[in-house]
Amino acid sequence: DTAVSQTPKYLVTQMGNDKSIKCEQNLGHDTMYWYKQDSKKFLKIMFSYNNKELIINETVPNRFSPKSPDKAHLNLHINSLELGDSAVYFCASSQDPGLVPRGVENTEAFFGQGTRLTVV
Amino acid sequence: KQEVTQIPAALSVPEGENLVLNCSFTDSAIYNLQWFRQDPGKGLTSLLLIQSSQREQTSGRLNASLDKSSGRSTLYIAASQPGDSATYLCAVRTNYGQNFVFGPGTRLSVLP
């Protein structure tokens, strides 16, 4: 079973369109993330959700809106797509260190396979 | 603000060599550090997780060490194989942060 799964794997769309990327984790984690990997392969945090609540919102345009219907899902909706949005988007999950019982330190992060978004 | 760097940016070695990849971070107040592997066009595969209270972790031919005070971690790969060719990323989780800060990666090529 895939721990963190994203769909679609590839997404090619025209400028100005609205698109969504879905992410699901079956690890029982309470924290989920969206990362963007640019053309130079650098990974940067975009959003972090803990138990469906937004924790981190880095400097990301308002056109990007994450939605977490439950703690196992964190979807990314992008409005009015621009050429510069072309990148690989990774979803990840982990257990929040603050919620891990003492003596249990398994806060390892698991990543999805990525969604390669190409805006033309 | 936590910054993570990795040296070298790229490394090419013949099969069978032992090698060391380096990761440095600016803020020593970390919760843990995780090493990942990324194959071209693929996602990230977790290799080793070191908690801030640990000094090293081992998995098979991989050994990762952590020196918090100097802000450094190394990933040691023994008896390298062509299948080890990939980009290796280190990521630091800070005590105050809710996310992982990644280094730029080291692109490793192991030649048969």
Side-chain angles (χ1 to χ4, degrees), chain B residues 30-110:
Chain B
I30 68 169
Y31 187 81
N32 61 33
L33 183 147
Q34 196 166 349
W35 282 93
F36 293 88
R37 166 189 175 139
Q38 185 175 25
D39 293 280
K42 303 288 185 182
L44 279 70
T45 301
S46 177
L47 298 173
L48 289 165
L49 172 73
I50 310 180
Q51 297 294 343
S52 61
S53 58
Q54 297 173 325
R55 295 193 69 88
E56 67 176 348
Q57 282 284 352
T58 299
S59 175
R61 294 183 294 107
L62 305 179
N63 176 279
S65 67
L66 174 64
D67 185 342
K68 260 187 16 174
S69 59
S70 66
R72 292 181 185 173
S73 175
T74 60
L75 180 66
Y76 175 83
I77 303 177
S80 58
Q81 303 171 357
D84 295 330
S85 299
T87 296
Y88 290 80
L89 298 155
C90 75
V92 171
R93 185 169 204 162
T94 56
N95 282 337
Y96 50 83
Q98 291 283 347
N99 65 303
F100 297 84
V101 180
F102 278 85
T106 293
R107 191 171 65 253
L108 172 65
S109 295
V110 181

Side-chain angles (χ1 to χ4, degrees), chain B residues 9-21:
Chain B
L11 181 62
S12 184
V13 300
E15 182 177 5
E17 274 202 8
N18 302 324
L19 54 100
V20 175
L21 308 181

Side-chain angles (χ1 to χ4, degrees), chain A residues 9 31 33 35 37 41-43 45 48 55-56 90 94-97 105-109 111-113 116, chain B residues 4 31-32 34 36 38 41-44 46-47 49 51 53-54 89 93 97-104:
Chain A
K9 188 173 180 181
T31 305
Y33 316 81
Y35 279 82
Q37 188 171 42
K41 308 300 182 187
F42 202 69
L43 274 156
I45 183 72
S48 168
I55 302 297
I56 291 177
F90 286 98
S94 74
Q95 195 65 12
D96 186 326
E105 297 181 315
N106 191 358
T107 58
E108 186 175 4
F111 280 71
Q113 290 299 297
R116 181 174 296 277
Chain B
V4 181
Y31 187 81
N32 61 33
Q34 196 166 349
F36 293 88
Q38 185 175 25
K42 303 288 185 182
L44 279 70
S46 177
L47 298 173
L49 172 73
Q51 297 294 343
S53 58
Q54 297 173 325
L89 298 155
R93 185 169 204 162
Q98 291 283 347
N99 65 303
F100 297 84
V101 180
F102 278 85

